[in-house]
Amino acid sequence: MDVYTILRSATGFESEAAEKAFVDKCRGKPSYNFCGDDTCLPEDEIKKELINHFNSCGEVLSVIVPKDPDDSPNLHRRAVVILLGDGAEEKALQLNGTDIGGWNALVKVEPEQEDEESSRYRSSLIDELMNDPKFWYGVSVRGYDTSLPVDQVESALKKHFSYCGEITHGFVNTLDKQTNIYFSLQEEEARALDLHGTKVGGFKLDISRVPSVLSNRPLGNGQIGLGYTVPAHMIEFAGKTDDDTDDEIEDKVIAFKKQRRFI
């Protein structure tokens, strides 16, 4: 009988709750029998065999025996072993082809797969942020005194652009030495563009329209035209979503949409 042992590696958890959430995410529906062509073993026994076989690779955090979709007991030849420890994954892969109590272990790494429903939900959150009217109209400002602290840049630009209309969001990018300022209405954006060449603290401003959903729309049907640029506010937000859960992304989307930094 062949046993396909699919590995997931973990690098540590901040709390017991985080560890439990990780295991529950991988678990699926458990099977109570692990069966071959002519024998069935209790789930506890197959888990014990796998723990004993892989404990030299690192801490065996969990062994999961998923239930097959058609619930056929003769197809239960797959288990997930979750290992914790430096180099645990590489050590376990070296056990590929070894004997586990009469079974031939075929070991491979299982890539993380996002649940389809979770993926759709995450996409809807990002789409909501992408098309938020708060970020439809804006300007990119360069040329000001970049040696000033961020709070002084914000204060100076807020004062300079306040007559244009309601500033809905502003972001000082210290790396690119530019500031993006967004407005509620198109005519407010036009007033801001008219300030091109004016001075703040003796520095001449270079002002252009910021890439937004309205100013550089895709062509449709998934096509992207020449010169298309990702909306600037999405680039600003992008670094906030790495390795986050859906709930964490939802919280960050809400917080990001509420930011009114120049107010």
Side-chain angles (χ1 to χ4, degrees), residues 208-238:
S208 59
R209 184 174 284 109
V210 74
S212 71
V213 173
L214 293 187
S215 64
N216 66 139
R217 286 187 179 277
L219 299 178
N221 298 321
Q223 299 180 18
I224 295 178
L226 183 65
Y228 174 79
T229 303
V230 175
H233 75 289
M234 295 304 295
I235 296 175
E236 178 187 346
F237 179 77

Side-chain angles (χ1 to χ4, degrees), residues 58-71:
E59 180 184 350
V60 180
L61 186 63
S62 181
V63 176
I64 301 164
V65 184
K67 180 178 291 186
D68 290 278
D70 62 1
D71 206 22

Side-chain angles (χ1 to χ4, degrees), residues 177-188:
K177 298 181 179 180
Q178 70 177 54
T179 296
N180 295 334
I181 304 175
Y182 295 86
F183 300 91
S184 297
L185 303 173
Q186 188 172 14
E187 51 264 37
E188 296 169 345

Side-chain angles (χ1 to χ4, degrees), residues 55-107:
N55 62 8
S56 63
C57 305
E59 180 184 350
V60 180
L61 186 63
S62 181
V63 176
I64 301 164
V65 184
K67 180 178 291 186
D68 290 278
D70 62 1
D71 206 22
S72 172
N74 290 325
L75 294 178
H76 293 163
R77 301 182 181 184
R78 177 180 180 273
V80 178
V81 178
I82 303 176
L83 297 172
L84 182 65
D86 293 337
E89 184 177 291
E90 291 76 12
K91 294 174 184 176
L93 287 172
Q94 293 177 9
L95 296 179
N96 182 46
T98 56
D99 180 78
I100 309 179
W103 315 327
N104 181 36
L106 303 180
V107 184

